[in-house]
Amino acid sequence: MEEKKTEGQKLNELLSYETKSAWEKISEAEKEQVFNFCSQYISFLNKAKTERESADELIRLAESKGFKNFEALNGKLNPGDKVYLSNRSKTIMLAVIGEEPIDKGINAVGAHIDSPRLDLKQNPLYEDSGLGLLKTHYYGGIKKYQWTAMPLAIHGVVIKQDGTKVNIVIGEDDSDPVFCVTDLLPHLANEQMQKKMSEGITGESLNILIGNEPYKDDKVKEKVKLNLLKIINEKHGIKEKDFLTAELEVIPAIKARDVGIDRSLVGGYGQDDRVCAYAAAIAIMEMEKPKKTAICVLADKEEIGSVGNTGMKSRAFENFLAELVEVTGEYSALKVSRALRSSRMLSADVNAAVDPTYDGVMEKRNAAFMGKGVCVTKYTGAGGKYQANDAHAEFLGEVCQLLDKENIVWQIGELGKVDQGGGGTIAGYLANLGMDVVDCGVALLSMHAPFEIASKVDIYMAYRAYLAFLK
Ligand code: MN
Ligand code: MN
């Protein structure tokens, strides 16, 4: 027989807020869905390791679900129609037209598909001490020491002098060569090890090793470099000058995979923010005919401040909305501003989960934990909420009530202790347009490292949250 609850226990249940692992809250059937969803997600991570590849892969998926290229359309759109717009193959926007006119407001989810990495400099190739090397300039916030002594791949595009574009992916196939940034042996690292961690490896020391064999001709000065140029030219039709007009990204040559004996976690490069981007994209691809138009924005350049015409500070989103107003009725600037004023958005980006090895940086009553569900973050920012979006309680209430109603396990999460540091997302730039925005995403361990960790149940809850919100 079950023991009878005391008055205090009953009152405690009624009044107190306690969190529980999402794993304990889901059924066996839902657990199976969690694992299935995440195995699809892992194959996505392995196909889409850069912003361009993510845009390509998600467009391919969207087309298979009936989304049409907005730029190839002519004529009007009707409720239930599905379109996508690619902004320079780096940012994509997906929309499902709703029954209500767009000036009544839309529901949107926005994530980003760029991740921290090493970009090749414009004139990267050089030879020193019998080695062929490439100069890099890192992109986004990295801990430089994490990028040494590990296998790296090169992805990107080269625009040749005749205007043709060459796609490059080297280091992903098991038969491909890989590259690396070398590090100093401990035996000779006395001086290096005395330095601050931020100075032990400098930006200019992140050079990529790509070869060692000289071209056999004593009349040539840089023989290793020439031999590399010869191979690159034979394989890809590229000359040294073509690097000047290239975008080549150096990223970890490691595969995303299950982590843990219980396989409860996903490890992989670029989960910030492809984890939310994938969950949001899959959610909108499942929409049929919503009441309000649903939009999913997957942006570039978040890691360097959302700048440029593919970043969220640009007017690309606003312009797309204007286009949608026109093709679902008749354009007017007033309709666009009314749409923005009455729209709601989830800024789908990752947060930091409590890491017991480094829990001193977190304030545990307000931090996110692995496995406790999708993380809702009222404000990001740093040093007194500086530059935070700080969502309104009214909107926060609306979102959290929806999550409860749909049985979606969620938690709150503030990024670290007050005055410990901080960060930002795209939330503020969309709120600037007049929309209600709140951050809602997956908490990670080792964020921005070459191998980031997410809990499978959190990924699945994020997907369910985005789907419920868009509906
Ligand atoms: Mn992010
Ligand atoms: Mn980030």
Side-chain angles (χ1 to χ4, degrees):
M1 214 174 99
E2 226 175 280
E3 230 175 285
K4 229 180 139 207
K5 282 180 185 153
T6 63
E7 285 306 310
Q9 281 176 313
K10 282 189 218 161
L11 198 61
N12 198 37
E13 266 174 35
L14 188 70
L15 299 181
S16 301
Y17 168 69
E18 269 168 28
T19 59
K20 200 173 172 184
S21 169
W23 292 107
E24 294 177 84
K25 290 187 169 185
I26 59 172
S27 64
E28 279 303 309
E30 204 173 9
K31 189 175 146 186
E32 203 179 311
Q33 288 170 350
V34 168
F35 277 82
N36 287 340
F37 186 86
C38 288
S39 91
Q40 298 290 314
Y41 166 57
I42 288 174
S43 26
F44 165 77
L45 280 180
N46 287 328
K47 276 183 232 157
K49 294 181 79 168
T50 66
E51 67 285 15
R52 285 178 192 268
E53 290 168 4
S54 301
D56 287 352
E57 179 61 17
L58 291 172
I59 286 173
R60 196 188 60 75
L61 268 176
E63 283 179 338
S64 77
K65 301 273 183 187
F67 283 73
K68 301 263 186 296
N69 186 350
F70 184 79
E71 287 176 302
L73 278 178
N74 66 65
K76 297 281 178 184
L77 291 179
N78 297 304
D81 283 347
K82 301 169 182 187
V83 289
Y84 69 84
L85 182 76
S86 166
N87 181 4
R88 292 164 175 83
S89 309
K90 291 180 172 183
T91 286
I92 57 170
M93 292 181 267
L94 303 147
V96 181
I97 305 302
E99 283 166 16
E100 279 183 14
I102 289 179
D103 58 341
K104 299 272 186 230
I106 58 144
N107 292 324
V109 179
H112 67 94
I113 48 179
D114 62 316
S115 296
R117 58 183 192 246
L118 308 179
D119 283 344
L120 291 195
K121 288 192 184 189
Q122 293 319 108
N123 188 21
L125 182 61
Y126 69 105
E127 174 176 343
D128 196 341
S129 313
L131 297 174
L133 296 146
L134 297 167
K135 294 297 296 178
T136 66
H137 191 143
Y138 62 94
Y139 172 100
I142 62 165
K143 290 165 93 174
K144 298 176 193 102
Y145 69 86
Q146 292 178 334
W147 291 74
T148 65
M150 68 174 302
L152 299 169
I154 299 177
H155 292 230
V157 298
V158 180
I159 307 300
K160 296 203 294 180
Q161 284 164 67
D162 64 5
T164 54
K165 187 197 279 190
V166 182
N167 281 303
I168 305 276
V169 178
I170 312 169
E172 295 298 339
D173 195 275
D174 284 344
S175 63
D176 279 357
V178 293
F179 313 97
C180 75
V181 174
T182 55
D183 196 2
L184 197 51
L185 61 166
H187 317 64
L188 299 178
N190 261 344
E191 213 175 290
Q192 183 195 39
M193 298 301 278
Q194 301 309 316
K195 289 182 183 169
K196 293 202 297 186
M197 268 171 110
S198 60
E199 290 160 6
I201 305 289
T202 63
E204 289 295 351
S205 62
L206 294 172
N207 302 316
I208 312 293
L209 177 61
I210 65 158
N212 174 228
E213 186 191 341
Y215 185 87
K216 286 189 187 115
D217 184 340
D218 286 337
K219 293 271 191 284
V220 176
K221 239 169 125 194
E222 297 185 304
K223 297 179 204 170
V224 174
K225 182 178 167 187
L226 184 64
N227 193 49
L228 287 166
L229 281 170
K230 177 174 162 273
I231 297 169
I232 293 169
N233 188 259
E234 281 164 3
K235 285 227 155 119
H236 307 285
I238 298 165
K239 297 180 188 168
E240 188 175 15
K241 194 177 175 190
D242 296 323
F243 281 113
L244 303 180
T245 49
E247 278 180 350
L248 293 167
E249 306 179 4
V250 182
I251 60 177
I254 44 181
K255 295 226 180 316
R257 56 200 301 176
D258 286 352
V259 171
I261 294 283
D262 56 6
R263 297 179 175 267
S264 60
L265 307 150
V266 174
Y269 163 71
Q271 296 202 70
D272 174 7
D273 182 32
R274 277 189 274 277
V275 63
C276 299
Y278 178 78
I282 296 300
I284 198 166
M285 287 179 207
E286 285 175 16
M287 307 278 302
E288 280 313 327
K289 197 193 283 181
K291 194 164 147 236
K292 287 182 185 292
T293 292
I295 299 184
C296 172
V297 195
L298 305 170
D300 180 34
K301 298 285 190 282
E302 193 278 340
E303 296 295 356
I304 57 168
S306 295
V307 291
N309 62 1
T310 53
M312 282 317 287
K313 277 185 192 163
S314 81
R315 295 188 66 173
F317 176 75
E318 214 180 330
N319 291 342
F320 183 51
L321 201 62
E323 296 273 9
L324 291 180
V325 167
E326 167 63 17
V327 296
T328 54
E330 200 180 324
Y331 170 79
S332 86
L334 193 60
K335 281 186 190 167
V336 177
S337 72
R338 280 181 183 154
L340 286 167
R341 193 182 64 203
S342 25
S343 289
R344 314 178 316 149
M345 179 175 232
L346 294 182
S347 162
D349 207 343
V350 297
N351 202 321
V354 171
D355 182 337
T357 310
Y358 300 102
D359 60 357
V361 300
M362 294 295 203
E363 191 271 283
K364 284 187 176 175
R365 306 178 66 83
N366 286 282
F369 289 81
M370 297 291 278
K372 286 200 170 179
V374 65
C375 172
V376 179
T377 299
K378 185 176 187 294
Y379 50 86
T380 54
K385 296 192 178 181
Y386 191 71
Q387 291 202 322
N389 165 54
D390 210 353
H392 305 298
E394 290 84 349
F395 180 53
L396 196 59
E398 221 180 283
V399 170
C400 294
Q401 279 154 32
L402 172 74
L403 298 178
D404 278 339
K405 198 180 113 228
E406 300 280 335
N407 276 320
I408 294 162
V409 188
W410 62 279
Q411 58 181 329
I412 55 158
E414 184 173 341
L415 185 69
K417 278 182 177 166
V418 177
D419 291 339
Q420 185 74 45
T425 63
I426 60 169
Y429 312 121
L430 291 145
N432 283 348
L433 300 175
M435 307 169 75
D436 269 318
V437 187
V438 66
D439 281 293
C440 175
V442 175
L444 297 184
L445 294 175
S446 302
M447 194 200 292
H448 282 206
F451 195 69
E452 301 174 306
I453 310 290
S455 174
K456 287 184 178 176
V457 76
D458 297 340
I459 299 171
Y460 185 71
M461 290 298 162
Y463 149 74
R464 285 197 53 214
Y466 303 150
L467 185 60
F469 182 80
L470 290 173
K471 274 184 171 164

